Amino acid sequence: WSPRETISSGMTVATVGYPMGVVGMGSLSRGVVSRLFTESGLHQIQTDVPVNPGNSGGALVDECGDVLGVVVSKLSGSAIEGISYAIEARSVRDSLNQTLTSTRLDAAQTLFNRGGTNFAQGNYAAAIADYTLIVKRYRSDIDPAMRERVAETLVNRGLSHYAQGDL
């Protein structure tokens, strides 16, 4: 992933993809960066690289092969030619990381809630199993929200063991 600071108007770029369902080796199309802009919180790259169905989701790379972005669309019309867009690589990475973190927190919260329900119903072994899953899956997570959830889980797992008579 190439840092945004290295992307500039006029630099040579290329896309790799399978336009129009080409089978086998992908195709390479070259062009230049036309402009950089931010829209809806996403850093984007406008380029004149020819983009067709099948290029979307492909990499936009510089001459060294560093990924600058992910091709997402092109403008089309009778008076429009050579205007395509990529989301800058760091925006893609940050968005994916945010989505993954959110998904992981949701999954941990579901297990945590199930463990709490099992504990409240006196099903301590099931609560311990749910809490143990959280600890095993997420104990090395560096996200502060997840670390807090794991700490709460360890306390609840200990309470479940105590209530079950293990301690």
Side-chain angles (χ1 to χ4, degrees):
W1 303 90
S2 185
R4 180 173 173 76
E5 295 77 32
T6 65
I7 306 169
S8 60
S9 294
M11 74 183 292
T12 301
V13 293
T15 61
V16 180
Y18 297 85
M20 307 302 291
V22 170
V23 180
M25 293 192 51
S27 68
L28 178 74
S29 300
R30 292 176 51 133
V32 297
V33 171
S34 303
R35 72 180 177 120
L36 303 170
F37 64 100
T38 301
E39 186 176 284
S40 301
L42 294 174
H43 298 296
Q44 299 188 42
I45 305 165
Q46 179 183 327
T47 179
D48 67 352
V49 174
V51 170
N52 294 295
N55 286 113
S56 296
L60 179 72
V61 298
D62 64 14
E63 291 179 302
C64 295
D66 292 328
V67 176
L68 303 176
V70 176
V71 176
V72 292
S73 66
K74 73 172 186 173
L75 290 182
S76 61
S78 60
I80 301 170
E81 191 172 319
I83 301 176
S84 54
Y85 299 97
I87 297 175
E88 189 260 328
R90 191 171 10 185
S91 287
V92 172
R93 185 190 64 226
D94 292 349
S95 180
L96 285 172
N97 285 340
Q98 183 178 18
T99 300
L100 290 173
T101 296
S102 176
T103 300
R104 288 170 57 81
L105 283 169
D106 289 348
Q109 186 65 47
T110 298
L111 282 170
F112 190 81
N113 291 344
R114 191 172 74 189
T117 299
N118 284 325
F119 182 87
Q121 293 173 348
N123 191 350
Y124 305 121
I128 292 166
D130 290 334
Y131 295 141
T132 300
L133 274 176
I134 295 170
V135 173
K136 285 182 178 180
R137 288 182 185 168
Y138 307 111
R139 70 175 161 231
S140 62
D141 203 298
I142 60 170
D143 181 81
M146 189 60 79
R147 291 173 93 182
E148 183 177 318
R149 176 59 64 213
V150 170
E152 291 176 59
T153 297
L154 288 169
V155 169
N156 286 2
R157 187 172 69 170
L159 290 171
S160 297
H161 275 292
Y162 179 79
Q164 185 171 281
D166 295 340
L167 304 175

